[in-house]
Amino acid sequence: MSFTLLSSPLQGFTDFRFRNAQNKYFGGIDTFYAPYIRLNGKLKIKSSYERDLLPENNTTLEVIPQVITNDADEFLFVAKYVQQLGYKELNWNLGCPYPMVTNRGMGSGLICDPNKIDDILHRAHNETDILVSMKMRMGYENSEEILHTFPILDKYPLKNVAIHARIGKQLYKGGVDLDAFQKCIDVAKHKLYYNGDITTLAQFKKMQERFPGIDHFMIGRGLIADPFLPSMIKNDTTEYPKNRWELFEAFHNEIYEQYDAALSGPTPIKMKMLGFWEYFAQSFSNPQKTYKKIKKATNPVKYKQAVKEILNSES
């Protein structure tokens, strides 16, 4: 069965710079979700969100914008904004697990409130013509929460419901709950996408076998940890290309230069790349040593030297 691979957004990581470089050097992702737009009560789009979605910054990619909100006016404002940029779909994030979001009744903290979900979807479908899709967790406190939302979701012509098979309060700890995901399949009328812990080809195949009716799979942290992963899944191989480290180096240098130009001063770029290396290091032969080496690099010159040494020792 043919399948589609989607990039699940990670705030602070999968912006247009990362997306373009990943697509250029590795490929394999059919559709990228942009990290969410959050308005915080002001009907104003931040310039960083604007840059991320500008068509000229996403010329080679299929990108779907995402919003995180518990307010219908905010939803409508973002819907109209992304439509002006030429987007036809808006994804609604009911998946974010972080307390600073969930404590405000957003992300996975909103799943326990079907009435509010109903109100926002009702207005979205009556006051705009944008196509709405959902990105959800199983709930925040327990995996039954999502089941109570399906009668509401079924009232609307949603494009799909992508489900990360964890609950919010787990964050990313513990395993995915595949039995709970199966319960969603049993009751949902909409097309479901699977998300959660696809970090290797073997893991992908396991999910495919477990859920033969699912043909859309989302890769989140696994894409940053190993940008080769989507193309390896597509090519059904565990073999890396012979020029693996040269490709990774070219990709790394491209995003480094772009972030360095966008951020001011050595500290922000150091913190930015350190965040990436928390994931990148997982694909290296000695993750702890790799990450430690990057962490100890106190300035751009030492950082570049550390990267060179790490890549030389791998190749």
Side-chain angles (χ1 to χ4, degrees):
M1 180 171 84
S2 70
F3 58 86
T4 299
L5 292 182
L6 309 104
S7 155
S8 179
L10 263 81
Q11 218 65 12
F13 292 98
T14 57
D15 70 357
F16 71 96
R17 299 175 186 92
F18 175 86
R19 296 192 298 262
N20 283 316
Q22 194 285 329
N23 190 54
K24 174 178 169 182
Y25 291 102
F26 313 106
I29 291 288
D30 298 294
T31 303
F32 289 85
Y33 286 86
Y36 61 66
I37 293 173
R38 181 177 175 179
L39 295 184
N40 293 329
K42 289 186 187 129
L43 297 184
K44 192 174 184 310
I45 303 286
K46 282 189 345 197
S47 56
S48 57
Y49 297 146
E50 192 169 5
R51 271 194 304 277
D52 193 42
L53 292 175
L54 282 173
E56 58 262 38
N57 288 335
N58 296 282
T59 52
T60 58
L61 312 175
E62 184 177 329
V63 176
I64 297 169
Q66 188 183 74
V67 64
I68 194 163
T69 186
N70 57 8
D71 180 273
D73 289 331
E74 287 189 354
F75 191 103
L76 296 170
F77 181 82
V78 173
K80 286 167 186 165
Y81 172 74
V82 301
Q83 282 182 307
Q84 285 166 8
L85 293 176
Y87 294 98
K88 293 178 171 58
E89 178 184 342
L90 180 61
N91 185 262
W92 187 15
N93 181 317
L94 268 70
C96 182
Y98 292 109
M100 62 187 183
V101 167
T102 56
N103 289 344
R104 294 184 175 175
M106 291 190 289
S108 58
L110 184 55
I111 299 172
C112 62
D113 193 347
N115 291 336
K116 186 163 266 195
I117 295 169
D118 192 13
D119 173 54
I120 294 171
L121 288 176
H122 177 77
R123 288 193 57 195
H125 286 91
N126 279 276
E127 297 175 43
T128 75
D129 60 353
I130 201 158
L131 189 59
V132 180
S133 58
M134 310 289 288
K135 172 85 168 70
M136 304 179 74
R137 286 219 175 191
M138 300 288 185
Y140 184 76
E141 291 290 341
N142 63 72
S143 60
E144 300 294 307
E145 285 176 29
I146 195 171
L147 302 177
H148 302 304
T149 70
F150 284 127
I152 301 296
L153 303 185
D154 289 346
K155 291 160 59 176
Y156 301 100
L158 302 171
K159 183 188 165 201
N160 65 273
V161 182
I163 301 173
H164 183 133
R166 281 186 173 85
I167 55 171
K169 71 176 185 184
Q170 269 184 275
L171 297 177
Y172 291 97
K173 300 182 186 90
V176 283
D177 188 342
L178 302 184
D179 293 336
F181 185 76
Q182 183 61 52
K183 281 186 195 170
C184 295
I185 292 174
D186 296 341
V187 301
K189 293 197 171 84
H190 286 105
K191 183 173 187 64
L192 299 187
Y193 295 2
Y194 175 82
N195 179 212
D197 284 8
I198 294 176
T199 53
T200 61
L201 175 66
Q203 196 67 15
F204 171 76
K205 287 187 160 175
K206 186 178 147 190
M207 297 308 166
Q208 250 191 334
E209 283 163 24
R210 176 77 194 262
F211 307 115
I214 299 290
D215 62 1
H216 283 63
F217 296 88
M218 296 182 91
I219 304 177
R221 295 166 300 149
L223 176 68
I224 305 171
D226 188 357
F228 288 95
L229 179 62
S231 61
M232 290 166 81
I233 289 173
K234 285 276 175 76
N235 295 316
D236 192 19
T237 181
T238 54
E239 294 287 314
Y240 285 93
K242 290 200 164 44
N243 61 340
R244 173 185 180 178
W245 298 112
E246 288 97 321
L247 277 173
F248 180 84
E249 184 174 20
F251 159 77
H252 166 275
N253 291 350
E254 188 155 315
I255 63 169
Y256 179 88
E257 279 156 30
Q258 289 193 26
Y259 285 120
D260 195 28
L263 299 165
S264 49
T267 305
I269 184 67
K270 167 81 198 278
M271 299 315 292
K272 187 72 168 176
M273 296 313 295
L274 199 56
F276 275 112
W277 277 98
E278 273 188 60
Y279 291 102
F280 292 161
Q282 293 167 29
S283 296
F284 285 74
S285 48
N286 190 330
Q288 275 178 307
K289 194 177 166 191
T290 299
Y291 182 66
K292 204 170 173 184
K293 197 166 199 134
I294 293 291
K295 203 173 177 183
K296 280 166 74 176
T298 48
N299 62 46
V301 175
K302 287 178 179 170
Y303 172 83
K304 287 172 185 171
Q305 185 61 36
V307 172
K308 215 160 199 53
E309 285 170 15
I310 288 163
L311 292 171
N312 285 345
S313 70
E314 291 292 340
S315 51

